[in-house]
């Protein structure tokens, strides 16, 4: 059973968002890393890039599968996790911790209401 | 309803991630594709390949018949020798690729799981001469023990000198009291062997293999790593790299087509194709910078489309993207740089031979 943690929000694209003031940190969920398995490459958006919620802003490649990385919230990318770019398998080992991918300065806080609670996300993956 | 192999409970016990594959519930991975891949390259791993099909041909004309339905020359086989071959449709499209075992009083055709029913029907439909044909697939379990330590594991199970069993040879032996067909074959590029046995002995033999392999860190391996291992050796996969729309000459399988052996299904069309000249060939390529080619993506040069990717993955041994695909002649030369059209185009370079060149298979 996939691990779903409290204290973060989720998206239906299987990403998580941790909100700290006006900064949101995001990564992929434990369910996503388990489905992808063996992640070998990640291309996050660039620092300074303006992203819009719902847009494809990067790519994650595993041995057998490839998936887009979607922006959870609109804003400007402030930080990228160079450690996961260098060793993407960190996402398989620690999806919610060391496996974070990038941080964004939130433009439209009301978008946060569109994100899923842990409970709602649990329901979503129960159906898939 | 998907079928279970006789090793299904072992996969659950080992926390295998189960998927339905060609009608069977099979483990796609246990610990992960990459760690399992490395176990086979560096030590020894065990694959459940019971989903593979086995068709038996008996009767006095079996050599004549198998020569008629396959492209390689089975009359060249010694007793207990094995041959890689293909079966063709009359238009030279590939029905399947297979192994032919020349056993005492019978031939044993090992075919792809997804094709077993189709192949069996094809063989029956083309039956000639004095032969009896049976599909034994359902009752047979099959394990592949693969890796540089496979011989050391096998030596603890069999009471004959395993080093005398050469690559692509087989023997009918016993593990304790259990009769098995043992062959020095595999789909990984490493040394190793495969065991065919009655499914009622399957779990006992699984346990014996794991007991014997304990000191080498033996592990169960899923279909995910089976694919990356075969791919690094550039072995064809039916359904990806070859199928009814491809012929063995363009797939680089001319070495298993013997035109001088007499008539066989597909021969006439294949000779015509050869005479007219091939239009495309299957090539292997590696990614120049970054990216991973994926099946069905188009292959282009600077001007236009030249072909498409048939298999593409990340190579755990080389740590980069590799691919196989059909490319129009004459753009198939080693060293040619082409583009695979994914979301962002990937530069790839055509290379010669297998991607992984340090395999231990003998």
């Amino acid at each position: 059973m996939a691990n779903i943690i409290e204290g973060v929000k989720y998206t239906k694209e299987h990403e998580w968002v941790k909100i700290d003031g006006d900064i949101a940190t995001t990564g992929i969920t434990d369910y996503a890393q388990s489905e992808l398995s063996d992640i070998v490459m990640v291309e996050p958006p660039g620092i300074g890039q303006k992203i819009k919620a719902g847009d494809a802003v990067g790519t994650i490649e595993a041995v057998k599968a490839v998936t887009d990385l979607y922006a959870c919230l609109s804003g400007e990318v402030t930080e990228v996790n160079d450690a996961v770019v260098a060793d993407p398998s960190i996402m398989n080992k620690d999806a919610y911790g060391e496996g974070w991918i990038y941080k964004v300065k939130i433009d439209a806080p009301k978008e946060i209401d569109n994100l899923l609670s842990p409970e709602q996300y649990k329901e979503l993956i129960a159906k898939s | 309803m998907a079928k279970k192999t006789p090793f299904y409970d072992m996969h659950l016990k080992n926390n295998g991630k189960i998927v339905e594959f060609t009608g069977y519930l099979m483990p796609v991975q246990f610990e992960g594709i990459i760690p399992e891949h490395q176990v086979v390259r560096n030590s020894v791993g065990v694959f459940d390949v019971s989903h593979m099909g086995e068709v038996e041909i008996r009767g006095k004309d079996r050599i004549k018949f198998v020569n008629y339905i396959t492209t390689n020359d089975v009359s060249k086989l010694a007793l207990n020798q094995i041959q890689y071959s293909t079966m063709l449709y009359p238009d030279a499209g590939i029905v399947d690729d297979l192994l032919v075992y020349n056993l005492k009083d019978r031939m044993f055709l090992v075919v792809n799981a997804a094709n077993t029913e189709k192949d069996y029907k094809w063989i029956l439909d083309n039956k000639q001469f004095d032969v009896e044909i049976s599909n034994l697939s359902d009752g047979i379990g099959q394990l592949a023990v693969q890796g540089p330590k496979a011989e050391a594991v096998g030596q603890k199970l069999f009471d004959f000198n395993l080093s005398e069993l050469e690559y692509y040879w087989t023997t009918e032996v016993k593990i304790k009291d259990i009769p098995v067909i043992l062959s020095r074959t595999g789909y990984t590029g490493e040394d190793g062997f495969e065991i065919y046995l009655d499914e009622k002995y399957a779990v006992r033999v699984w346990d014996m293999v794991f007991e014997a392999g304990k000191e080498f860190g033996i592990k169960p391996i899923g279909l995910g790593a089976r694919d990356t291992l075969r791919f690094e050796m550039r072995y064809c996969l039916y359904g990806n790299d070859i199928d009814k729309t491809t012929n063995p000459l363009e797939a680089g399988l001319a070495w298993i087509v013997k035109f001088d052996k007499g008539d066989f299904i597909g021969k006439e069309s294949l000779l015509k194709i050869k005479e007219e000249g091939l239009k495309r060939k299957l090539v292997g390529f590696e990614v120049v910078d970054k990216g991973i080619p994926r099946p069905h993506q188009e292959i282009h040069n600077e001007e236009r489309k030249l072909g498409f990717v048939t298999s593409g993955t990340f190579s755990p041994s080389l740590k980069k993207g590799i691919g196989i695909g059909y490319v129009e002649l004459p753009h198939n030369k080693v060293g040619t740089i082409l583009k695979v059209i994914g979301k962002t185009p990937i530069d790839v370079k055509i290379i010669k031979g297998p991607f992984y060149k340090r395999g231990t298979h003998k």
Side-chain angles (χ1 to χ4, degrees):
Chain A
M1 189 60 205
N3 182 21
I4 297 169
I5 61 164
E6 296 294 323
V8 302
K9 298 277 195 180
Y10 294 87
T11 71
K12 61 177 177 22
E13 277 85 22
H14 307 286
E15 291 168 24
W16 58 265
V17 189
K18 186 165 193 289
I19 293 153
D20 187 6
D22 62 349
I23 299 293
T25 304
T26 126
I28 61 166
T29 66
D30 182 53
Y31 175 81
Q33 73 74 21
S34 158
E35 286 295 298
L36 283 168
S37 185
D38 301 88
I39 299 169
V40 293
M41 213 174 283
V42 56
E43 281 189 65
I47 292 173
Q49 189 178 332
K50 289 273 197 184
I51 60 174
K52 192 165 155 289
D55 283 359
V57 293
T59 313
I60 297 176
E61 299 230 34
V63 174
K64 291 277 98 187
V66 55
T67 183
D68 282 326
L69 192 59
Y70 294 94
C72 307
L73 295 170
S74 304
E76 185 180 321
V77 177
T78 60
E79 213 178 317
V80 165
N81 186 354
D82 294 329
V84 301
V85 174
D87 178 10
S89 70
I90 295 170
M91 286 186 273
N92 289 120
K93 292 171 200 136
D94 188 9
Y96 297 114
E98 297 297 317
W100 67 274
I101 301 172
Y102 67 93
K103 295 185 184 189
V104 65
K105 188 163 182 298
I106 302 167
D107 263 357
K110 65 175 189 324
E111 286 175 359
I112 295 168
D113 299 340
N114 301 335
L115 300 173
L116 307 176
S117 68
E119 204 48 48
Q120 287 168 315
Y121 184 62
K122 196 175 284 179
E123 278 171 33
L124 179 87
I125 61 171
K127 276 183 243 157
S128 48
Chain B
M1 182 70 179
K3 294 185 209 175
K4 291 174 183 170
T5 78
F7 303 105
Y8 180 75
D9 290 342
M10 302 293 104
H11 305 324
L12 295 186
K13 213 172 99 186
N14 286 291
N15 296 317
K17 185 168 165 186
I18 306 292
V19 297
E20 190 175 331
F21 178 75
T22 66
Y24 285 84
L25 294 172
M26 300 295 289
V28 64
Q29 65 175 71
F30 295 89
E31 278 176 46
I33 296 172
I34 294 173
E36 290 164 38
H37 182 106
Q38 306 301 8
V39 163
V40 175
R41 287 273 178 257
N42 300 322
S43 180
V44 57
V46 180
F47 304 75
D48 172 8
V49 281
S50 305
H51 58 311
M52 299 292 284
E54 294 87 13
V55 178
E56 187 187 75
I57 317 284
R58 288 180 182 266
K60 71 172 173 57
D61 291 330
R62 61 186 181 277
I63 289 181
K64 206 163 127 190
F65 176 62
V66 175
N67 246 358
Y68 174 66
I69 57 168
T70 63
T71 55
N72 208 336
D73 187 355
V74 296
S75 72
K76 295 280 188 327
L77 287 175
L79 175 66
N80 288 337
Q81 203 177 0
I82 302 166
Q83 186 175 71
Y84 180 52
S85 194
T86 55
M87 289 194 291
L88 303 184
Y89 291 107
D91 71 355
I94 301 174
V95 178
D96 204 358
D97 62 335
L98 70 158
L99 291 183
V100 178
Y101 284 59
N102 187 30
L103 302 175
K104 191 169 157 258
D105 64 37
R106 66 201 202 278
M107 294 196 123
F108 196 61
L109 312 186
V110 180
V111 302
N112 281 296
N115 296 337
T116 305
E117 289 304 319
K118 176 189 82 176
D119 290 0
Y120 179 54
K121 186 170 183 305
W122 177 254
I123 295 167
L124 285 179
D125 287 349
N126 287 285
K127 184 179 165 178
Q128 304 200 25
F129 318 125
D130 182 3
V131 291
E132 295 148 44
I133 302 161
S134 354
N135 181 1
L136 306 181
S137 306
D138 278 347
I140 295 181
Q142 187 188 347
L143 284 182
V145 181
Q146 302 279 302
K149 299 288 183 208
E151 184 176 287
V153 174
Q155 202 53 73
K156 292 166 75 177
L157 297 169
F158 301 104
D159 57 3
F160 74 100
N161 190 352
L162 192 53
S163 68
E164 285 168 9
L165 183 66
E166 289 179 51
Y167 193 53
Y168 270 61
W169 286 76
T170 182
T171 178
E172 295 185 69
V173 288
K174 284 186 172 174
I175 303 181
K176 295 261 172 35
D177 56 321
I178 302 168
V180 303
I181 295 175
L182 171 69
S183 63
R184 194 109 192 196
T185 47
Y187 198 43
T188 62
E190 299 303 328
D191 187 20
F193 54 90
E194 294 179 287
I195 300 169
Y196 300 83
L197 76 179
D198 189 309
E199 61 181 6
K200 70 184 175 209
Y201 302 121
V203 172
R204 270 181 70 199
V205 168
W206 174 282
D207 287 340
M208 284 191 264
V209 169
F210 277 82
E211 184 56 36
K214 211 176 193 173
E215 61 176 302
F216 307 106
I218 200 166
K219 295 269 172 71
I221 312 294
L223 292 175
R226 180 168 162 82
D227 189 52
T228 53
L229 288 159
R230 74 92 194 166
F231 193 174
E232 285 187 342
M233 297 309 296
R234 245 177 99 175
Y235 297 150
C236 284
L237 173 63
Y238 193 92
N240 279 44
D241 313 309
I242 51 175
D243 60 27
K244 66 178 183 192
T245 70
T246 65
N247 68 64
L249 303 181
E250 63 190 12
L253 298 175
W255 63 281
I256 54 168
V257 177
K258 302 292 155 65
F259 287 112
D260 58 2
K261 70 167 181 170
D263 195 27
F264 60 90
I265 302 174
K267 181 178 179 180
E268 207 177 312
S269 302
L270 212 49
L271 276 173
K272 194 158 166 260
I273 288 166
K274 198 180 169 187
E275 207 174 288
E276 288 172 357
L278 294 178
K279 302 211 167 28
R280 59 177 191 175
K281 280 209 85 169
L282 198 58
V283 298
F285 47 84
E286 57 183 29
V287 169
V288 175
D289 182 18
K290 62 176 181 176
I292 302 172
R294 302 290 181 182
H296 313 301
Q297 289 174 338
E298 292 185 357
I299 302 173
H300 289 224
N301 64 3
E302 295 300 336
E303 290 149 26
R304 63 186 180 88
K305 180 184 170 186
L306 296 174
F308 60 96
V309 178
T310 57
S311 289
T313 194
F314 175 81
S315 161
S317 299
L318 307 177
K319 301 198 176 2
K320 61 175 150 187
I322 56 175
I324 305 177
Y326 285 96
V327 168
E328 262 180 47
L329 268 51
H331 304 280
N332 64 323
K333 302 279 183 300
V334 170
T336 307
I337 305 281
L338 296 171
K339 278 187 197 310
V340 167
I341 310 301
K343 206 154 261 181
T344 45
I346 306 168
D347 280 343
V348 297
K349 185 169 100 178
I350 297 179
I351 63 140
K352 189 171 181 256
F355 298 104
Y356 183 73
K357 300 186 193 326
R358 290 178 288 127
T360 53
H361 72 283
K362 295 166 181 169

